[in-house]
Amino acid sequence: MPLVTTTEMLRDAKVGGYAVGAFNIENMEMAQAVIAAAEAAGAPVILQTTPSTLRYATLDTFAGLVTALAKNATVPVALHLDHGNSFDLAVQAVRAGYTSVMLDGSGLPLEENIDTTRRVVDVCAPNGIPVEGELGKVGGKEDDLVVNSATFTDPATAAEFVERTGVTSLAVAIGTVHGEYHGEPQIDVPLLRRIRETVTVPLVLHGSPGLPAATIRECIAAGISKVNFATELRAAYTAAVSDYFATTNKPLDPKAYGALAREAVQAAVADRIALCSAGAQLKAAM
Ligand SMILES: [Zn+2]
């Protein structure tokens, strides 16, 4: 089927008490792996690319690739711009065929974040394209973005931000970091619940890879509807290729290790999709 937007899948997830997995892809094998895992699970799925991935290839390349894969997929597939860092990139993504964008203005002063995000929404909304905003700063390093001091999302400001920007989903900062955690992760689940009470749009969790599965489930039960996964896919891909080179005499064919990497990524994605839907069971039991 054609690419779909993230609007309906996130709304269904919010109502159903589960989360949709959003997976960062960097090449064809990763894209194939994510869609194959989603099909095996019968789950809707979001594929997303960061600005640095878009410099590695282009918006058109990824839009063409994912559109072609989605065409033959048996589950809804959305293509999302992750951590869009400018108004121009967000607009170019929509023009290229992306069906969802994030404008990450969390590094800007509040009024500038609101203004930039609002301008992206003004372009996207008439085209039915959902926009994810971010308020508060998720710590750590992702892509070109290094945040040394994370700032937690304030519930009252979050409500104001959603109201004034018109975003259709919101990435929250509740103690998660991108990349590696230094020490025990401290996730403020009560804060997440307070944000959930004041904000009506679906909430997004960034920076999940270092978190225990139980914590991710708890966050989903407390109101997260989209969970981003990037590091797990890179780790699975790289380990499979490394193993192949360590054990194969004169490796030559990229398809040989590409296929192994694809299998490894698919297994990692299957595990994360199961984790996302497991949140619904936890909520039902609460
Ligand atoms: Zn992120």
Side-chain angles (χ1 to χ4, degrees), residues 95-272:
R95 287 209 185 109
Y98 276 56
T99 54
S100 177
V101 298
M102 176 186 193
L103 190 288
D104 179 1
S106 62
L108 302 170
L110 178 63
E111 287 302 320
E112 260 179 76
N113 185 2
I114 290 174
D115 180 60
T116 313
T117 307
R118 173 80 239 174
R119 286 196 298 128
V120 172
V121 171
D122 283 344
V123 172
C124 289
N127 296 295
I129 301 294
V131 178
E132 176 182 329
E134 179 169 325
L135 186 66
K137 288 182 204 160
V138 175
K141 179 177 190 313
E142 174 161 352
D143 220 34
D144 308 327
L145 193 75
V146 181
V147 177
N148 293 320
S149 56
T151 315
F152 286 25
T153 305
D154 171 64
T157 315
E160 183 194 343
F161 180 84
V162 171
E163 171 78 27
R164 288 178 60 194
T165 58
V167 289
T168 52
S169 63
L170 181 69
V172 293
I174 53 169
T176 57
V177 302
H178 289 118
E180 268 177 56
Y181 282 82
H182 301 288
E184 193 73 5
Q186 301 289 335
I187 308 306
D188 195 339
V189 178
L191 172 64
L192 172 58
R193 289 202 189 91
R194 291 207 304 280
I195 300 167
R196 178 67 292 159
E197 282 165 15
T198 56
V199 170
T200 53
V201 297
L203 302 176
V204 182
L205 188 68
H206 286 243
S208 66
L211 296 181
T215 305
I216 296 178
R217 277 197 289 269
E218 214 187 334
C219 289
I220 295 169
I224 290 290
S225 306
K226 171 179 179 257
V227 184
N228 289 1
F229 299 104
T231 309
E232 295 93 332
L233 282 69
R234 297 173 142 204
Y237 190 100
T238 305
V241 174
S242 303
D243 283 355
Y244 181 82
F245 275 76
T247 55
T248 308
N249 189 27
K250 293 186 183 165
L252 177 68
D253 183 357
K255 294 193 292 302
Y257 49 89
L260 291 174
R262 185 169 58 195
E263 257 174 55
V265 173
Q266 186 178 334
V269 172
D271 181 69
R272 300 290 108 172

Side-chain angles (χ1 to χ4, degrees), residues 3-77:
L3 288 173
V4 299
T5 73
T6 49
T7 307
E8 201 171 316
M9 57 175 83
L10 293 185
R11 194 177 51 214
D12 289 351
K14 181 169 175 267
V15 171
Y18 59 92
V20 178
F23 299 94
N24 286 74
I25 57 156
E26 280 152 313
N27 60 21
M28 182 190 74
E29 286 78 2
M30 290 170 120
Q32 289 174 314
V34 172
I35 292 178
E39 287 189 303
V45 73
I46 300 165
L47 279 69
Q48 55 189 22
T49 57
T50 59
S52 82
T53 301
L54 294 170
R55 284 197 300 275
Y56 175 69
T58 63
L59 282 165
D60 284 341
T61 305
F62 284 104
L65 169 68
V66 178
T67 301
L69 294 173
K71 193 173 154 193
N72 297 312
T74 55
V75 293
V77 176

